[in-house]
Amino acid sequence: MPAYRPTANCIWRSFRASSKKHLILTGSRGSGKSTLLSALFPQPMPGLTSYVVPEDGVYMKKNLSGEAVQIGRYQADAPGNTNKMQPVPKAFLTKGIEFLDMCIRHPSDWVTIDETGYLEQTIPAYQEAISRLLAAKHVLLVVRKQKLPFLDALCKRDDCFLVDLDKPYGDTFCIIMASGKSKRFGANKLLTDFNGKPLIAYAFDATEMLGQNRLVVTIHPEIAHICKKQDIPFLLHNLPDRNDMIRLGTGAIKNKASHCLFLPSDQPLVSRETIGALLFCAKNAPDTIWRTCNQNTVGSPVVFPSAYFDELSALPPKNGGNTVIQNHREHVRLLPVTQHYELADIDTPEDMQAMKIIAAHARAK
């Protein structure tokens, strides 16, 4: 399991930005699917919840009325490797479909189903009823993590936003850009104390969920030393320009990354939640460049799909990723930050002092 579990708000923000209709949660047993569903919809919603009675069977319950029906029966004498929980077709074809049709008629825009899994696989008429529900409503659907045609088809629907809690961010990497010379600051700002930690530490904290799928690209041996102590991958170089840093970083991760998030290391108030939401957006729209914004102001971080790695590696001298963005504006989408100061960077000692005041106010709320 990832060290940092995505929050309900992180998932909801990315889902809303995606413009998709349905939200699917999947993952192995114990990954937190049902807990997350409850956090997303704290109040009882129209829909269905399945639960197991050990050595008896699986029951499907209507959320609002509590009416239940047995949809799976435990068969201790099932031969060989046969699943001992077998479907009760009549229950699906009568009460199951009836329950779904009642959800369609309910005035709520949203319906929740926890969960859909192995038992539904052999009941085509019930699958068709779920398709009717998906056509009529927004559905938050918990899907069992199992390779079955019906479950795979649900997860691959174009109108579904998929959150896999076993590997929430896929094969996305992050390049933490730490090669600036801090000329306007007068010293290495990334090593300067910001509320008890070096400024660079905030970039490490914000991207913690990516673990070893990070690369700090820096010209500073002191930064490389910090990375080594914290077991964070780094690339130490002595080249002068931004395009050099991007080329080196992209070249180092391009054979193993589906996307790359570029994070400046001087934005201490960008949140983990915003980073996570940006990564979810990228995973669910794999051909899109995603960047953060505040109203009409765009900013960093930015996520590029691997299709743009070659172009990023061939930037003109002194150019950055914005050159690629301008070349492909039709493929860019925006994720709003929750607070305007997440996009603010530090260039001068005055900037740092102002940012400390903002951070103190944010902590006091």
Side-chain angles (χ1 to χ4, degrees):
M1 289 298 298
Y4 168 75
R5 287 177 181 256
T7 65
N9 195 50
C10 169
I11 290 170
W12 191 251
R13 284 176 60 194
S14 51
F15 167 72
R16 292 290 298 273
S18 76
S19 301
K20 296 201 175 187
K21 184 178 180 182
H22 310 294
L23 177 56
I24 291 181
L25 307 178
T26 192
S28 57
R29 183 176 297 178
S31 59
K33 302 184 293 293
S34 297
T35 300
L36 192 53
L37 184 152
S38 297
L40 286 161
F41 287 100
Q43 301 301 319
M45 296 293 295
L48 309 176
T49 300
S50 299
Y51 60 94
V52 176
V53 176
E55 298 188 4
D56 176 15
V58 177
Y59 290 78
M60 176 191 291
K61 178 182 70 174
K62 289 170 63 178
N63 291 343
L64 298 184
S65 72
E67 182 183 357
V69 63
Q70 186 173 10
I71 58 170
R73 183 170 289 114
Y74 181 74
Q75 297 183 354
D77 58 351
N81 294 325
T82 304
N83 194 315
K84 296 190 185 314
M85 197 67 73
Q86 291 297 306
V88 181
K90 184 177 179 180
F92 278 108
L93 295 174
T94 54
K95 286 295 185 180
I97 292 175
E98 175 190 317
F99 288 176
L100 291 176
D101 288 342
M102 291 181 72
C103 291
I104 292 173
R105 295 193 295 271
H106 194 280
S108 172
D109 290 335
W110 277 90
V111 169
T112 65
I113 298 180
D114 180 10
E115 68 176 5
T116 297
Y118 159 78
L119 295 174
E120 291 85 346
Q121 175 63 37
T122 59
I123 317 293
Y126 185 80
Q127 296 173 25
E128 292 170 8
I130 287 184
S131 295
R132 292 197 299 273
L133 179 66
L134 292 169
K137 299 287 188 180
H138 295 279
V139 181
L140 196 167
L141 188 63
V142 175
V143 174
R144 180 187 175 103
K145 189 74 171 287
Q146 190 172 1
K147 291 296 293 181
L148 293 171
F150 175 56
L151 305 184
D152 288 346
L154 286 173
C155 292
K156 291 177 181 177
R157 285 177 61 112
D158 290 338
D159 59 354
C160 287
F161 188 92
L162 179 66
V163 176
D164 183 346
L165 293 172
D166 291 338
K167 196 174 182 181
Y169 312 113
D171 294 315
T172 298
F173 276 65
C174 173
I175 290 176
I176 297 174
M177 300 181 287
S179 294
K181 297 177 181 175
S182 306
K183 291 180 180 179
R184 294 173 59 193
F185 197 87
N188 189 342
K189 63 184 177 183
L190 301 183
L191 298 175
T192 302
D193 179 85
F194 184 87
N195 291 338
K197 295 190 291 189
L199 183 60
I200 185 71
Y202 291 85
F204 299 163
D205 291 347
T207 58
E208 182 186 9
M209 74 285 283
L210 288 175
Q212 292 294 299
N213 284 10
R214 295 180 287 178
L215 181 67
V216 180
V217 183
T218 186
I219 61 172
H220 305 293
E222 302 89 344
I223 299 293
H225 179 69
I226 293 172
C227 292
K228 189 172 184 179
K229 285 180 65 177
Q230 298 189 26
D231 194 28
I232 298 172
F234 66 90
L235 192 162
L236 182 63
H237 69 100
N238 61 1
L239 297 176
D241 295 325
R242 175 172 292 193
N243 65 293
D244 297 317
M245 173 184 61
I246 292 173
R247 183 183 71 256
L248 291 170
T250 305
I253 59 97
K254 68 178 183 179
N255 292 328
K256 47 192 174 182
S258 63
H259 298 76
C260 183
L261 181 143
F262 287 86
L263 176 66
S265 50
D266 58 358
Q267 289 179 218
L269 301 185
V270 66
S271 68
R272 283 186 186 181
E273 185 180 281
T274 288
I275 297 292
L278 201 60
L279 297 173
F280 279 129
C281 285
K283 190 177 179 186
N284 277 275
D287 300 323
T288 300
I289 299 170
W290 283 91
R291 74 181 311 182
T292 45
C293 72
N294 176 54
Q295 297 182 352
N296 295 324
T297 301
V298 295
S300 293
V302 181
V303 182
F304 290 93
S306 59
Y308 297 97
F309 287 178
D310 287 345
E311 193 170 349
L312 287 164
S313 297
L315 288 167
K318 301 185 185 302
N319 279 233
N322 202 50
T323 299
V324 177
I325 290 172
Q326 294 305 313
N327 290 341
H328 303 280
R329 283 179 288 184
E330 71 279 12
H331 296 302
V332 177
R333 294 184 67 179
L334 303 177
L335 173 74
V337 294
T338 56
Q339 303 291 342
H340 67 91
Y341 50 70
E342 291 191 67
L343 300 184
D345 60 356
I346 292 175
D347 289 325
T348 66
E350 293 75 19
D351 291 342
M352 178 167 281
Q353 191 58 38
M355 199 81 77
K356 286 182 178 180
I357 294 171
I358 292 171
H361 288 165
R363 288 197 304 271
K365 289 183 178 179

